[in-house]
Amino acid sequence: MYWYLPENMAGTVSGENAVKSDKKKTGKGVTNATYIELTGQAVQSGVTYENVRFRFYPGSNENNYDIERNSHYTMNVTLADIDITDERITVGTIPPVEITPGNMPARVGGEKELQITARPGQPWMIKLPDWLSAQGKDKNLTVPVSGSISYQGPAQLLFKAETANPKAETRTFSFPLTITGDEQTIEIVQDGSTLEAGGSISLGAVSGSEGSSTFMATKGLPWRAVLSDGSWLTWASSNPGTSNDTATGENQNLIVRATASNPYAKERSVNITLEGGESIGSLDYHNLQKNISVKQVASKVTCPSNPVVVTAEGGNNATSSFTATSGLLWQAAVSEENKWIGLTGQMAGTTTNEPQNVTFNVPVNPNSSLRNGTIAVRVGDENEGPTGTIAVQQGASSLTVEDNTTPLEPTVGTTATLGFTGTKEMKEEHVLQISLFR
């Protein structure tokens, strides 16, 4: 670039206005000192500064302002940056600090970009918390957690969460910056972590039944799973784990196994308590806590739908059977009104996958009508376990008189016979002799 400059014998500066470097050369104290001014927009480290002025003062040294007519001056100028220490440079507008919109994700490794718009040479400092690190995107700058950033001028920073947010609420890191002349507070907000539990688990009534559910927690969040009652439930051998310092951020399995058959005729249940982050072991903070219900279905007894039919004469070693949830104690008994049924053989034991036999004796029926009785079978808990009944039906006894009577002679001492048949242990014919007496 070429300029024509009129003569301006401004002279040489001395005394209190003298300077020791060209950076301090502002023409202060010199009347009408000639200078060349470039005005425009400057972009540095990703920051756009408006109304930037660069002033160049001719002269043989930093305190000389002599401009001679028709003289040729050569000025070699390198625009390196808008250094704050160079008083020949002024910046009209410094943009505010820019931070990418939205919150930092709650997961470990969540990132947030920040553009520091300080004028080059302007010092600033940030002290990081124990969960945040920073790295300069275009500078050789890496700061670990709890470290400090001391720098001058503009910089693009990438903040990174080194731990997941331990709470369900947002957490904030704020720090002051003085860039435009006024102090402003910059905030980096991290989203709250989440913990989601899957559906309830249903187990079969028999010991050894397994079932699974899932949970999902924010990536990097410490977690643990605890059984509220371990008396009949444990973790299956195939269960991936019950705690970890870092969740995956995806669905994770929890697999449980029943260690005992359900001794009750009703469903029983326990909970898996899931805890994450700050909620682990806490008595006060439960916002990252969920429950998964584990239910074991009721046990049952199945007896024949049809009764065991016994003849009126009775019999020994009659049998029936029942099936029930395996692995439970069982007992067969008859009530007081059914004492005519006599249990024999095994009357108690432990259920298996096979039918259980019940053996009993029945005496002759003394009645002329059918009689019905039951054998009660109880399984599991003495009071609340499932029960079933084996029905026994015995035929009616009978008495039949034969129609072969002999007429009696009207004489003292005359006899006649009468035959009849009645139910007994075995059928027999009986003869009744009748004598006529005076």
Side-chain angles (χ1 to χ4, degrees):
M1 291 180 286
Y2 299 90
W3 291 274
Y4 172 77
L5 301 178
E7 184 179 41
N8 184 349
M9 302 294 290
T12 300
V13 179
S14 61
E16 63 179 7
N17 292 317
V19 296
K20 296 182 179 180
S21 71
D22 282 334
K23 287 186 176 182
K24 298 291 184 180
K25 196 170 185 178
T26 63
K28 183 178 179 182
V30 179
T31 304
N32 299 322
T34 301
Y35 61 85
I36 299 170
E37 182 178 86
L38 300 181
T39 302
Q41 186 184 79
V43 179
Q44 188 167 334
S45 298
V47 181
T48 300
Y49 300 91
E50 302 289 347
N51 300 320
V52 180
R53 291 186 174 89
F54 288 78
R55 290 180 179 178
F56 308 101
Y57 293 87
S60 58
N61 58 57
E62 60 266 20
N63 288 310
N64 182 272
Y65 296 92
D66 288 337
I67 298 296
E68 297 182 6
R69 181 180 300 173
N70 298 325
S71 294
H72 183 264
Y73 291 88
T74 299
M75 300 179 66
N76 295 318
V77 178
T78 300
L79 296 180
D81 54 38
I82 48 177
D83 191 343
I84 195 173
T85 62
D86 195 331
E87 295 187 10
R88 296 170 300 175
I89 303 173
T90 59
V91 179
T93 304
I94 299 177
V97 173
E98 295 179 0
I99 188 168
T100 53
N103 294 342
M104 173 183 285
R107 61 178 175 84
V108 63
E111 295 180 343
K112 189 73 170 176
E113 290 188 9
L114 179 67
Q115 175 68 68
I116 303 293
T117 59
R119 174 177 170 170
Q122 182 178 354
W124 51 269
M125 188 193 75
I126 301 174
K127 178 71 171 66
L128 296 178
D130 61 359
W131 58 273
L132 205 59
S133 66
Q135 188 172 18
K137 293 191 66 177
D138 56 352
K139 306 289 183 182
N140 186 20
L141 178 66
T142 300
V143 185
V145 294
S146 301
S148 295
I149 308 173
S150 295
Y151 199 73
Q152 293 182 354
Q156 284 183 297
L157 296 179
L158 180 66
F159 291 96
K160 183 178 180 180
E162 297 297 334
T163 62
N165 188 346
K167 290 190 173 184
E169 298 77 30
T170 59
R171 66 174 169 179
T172 302
F173 168 59
S174 60
F175 53 92
L177 277 180
T178 302
I179 301 298
T180 60
D182 297 323
E183 182 177 282
Q184 62 182 121
T185 299
I186 307 301
E187 285 190 342
I188 296 177
V189 181
Q190 186 184 30
D191 284 329
S193 287
T194 58
L195 176 65
E196 300 296 333
S200 61
I201 301 173
S202 180
L203 300 180
V206 67
S207 174
S209 298
E210 293 189 1
S212 66
S213 186
T214 60
F215 74 93
M216 182 184 294
T218 297
K219 183 179 180 181
L221 186 72
W223 66 273
R224 75 171 182 177
V226 181
L227 297 177
S228 62
D229 181 2
S231 62
W232 62 270
L233 190 67
T234 189
W235 298 107
S237 59
S238 58
N239 185 57
T242 59
S243 65
N244 202 298
D245 288 338
T246 55
T248 64
E250 299 177 350
N251 276 331
Q252 295 180 248
N253 287 326
L254 292 172
I255 309 173
V256 292
R257 180 177 183 271
T259 59
S261 296
N262 187 355
Y264 304 112
K266 60 183 179 181
E267 181 182 79
R268 64 175 175 176
S269 65
V270 298
N271 284 329
I272 299 174
T273 300
L274 280 168
E275 298 171 336
E278 198 78 11
S279 290
I280 297 177
S282 175
L283 298 176
D284 304 317
Y285 186 76
H286 306 292
N287 291 352
L288 285 175
Q289 186 180 88
K290 300 287 184 179
N291 289 323
I292 297 176
S293 177
V294 182
K295 301 177 181 180
Q296 188 178 31
V297 299
S299 289
K300 61 182 180 179
V301 177
T302 303
C303 295
S305 57
N306 296 322
V308 179
V309 178
V310 182
T311 63
E313 289 81 5
N316 294 328
N317 298 321
T319 61
S320 185
S321 64
F322 68 92
T323 58
T325 301
S326 64
L328 297 173
L329 296 176
W330 68 271
Q331 183 175 354
V334 293
S335 60
E336 191 64 35
E337 63 268 22
N338 294 311
K339 285 297 184 182
W340 55 274
I341 302 173
L343 293 174
T344 62
Q346 187 178 3
M347 291 179 284
T350 301
T351 56
T352 66
N353 292 324
E354 301 297 327
Q356 311 290 136
N357 289 328
V358 177
T359 306
F360 55 95
N361 296 336
V362 178
V364 65
N365 186 355
N367 304 313
S368 62
S369 59
L370 291 172
R371 63 175 173 177
N372 294 288
T374 57
I375 301 171
V377 178
R378 177 188 55 78
V379 173
D381 185 78
E382 184 175 353
N383 297 315
E384 298 183 62
T387 59
T389 56
I390 298 174
V392 179
Q393 185 180 82
Q394 187 177 26
S397 290
S398 62
L399 180 65
T400 304
V401 179
E402 296 179 359
D403 190 16
N404 58 353
T405 57
T406 302
L408 291 176
E409 296 293 335
T411 305
V412 175
T414 300
T415 63
T417 59
L418 179 66
F420 68 92
T421 302
T423 300
K424 198 181 177 184
E425 292 181 7
M426 297 291 290
K427 286 189 175 182
E428 295 182 357
E429 289 188 357
H430 299 268
V431 176
L432 179 64
Q433 186 176 43
I434 301 174
S435 298
L436 182 61
F437 299 93
R438 186 178 182 176

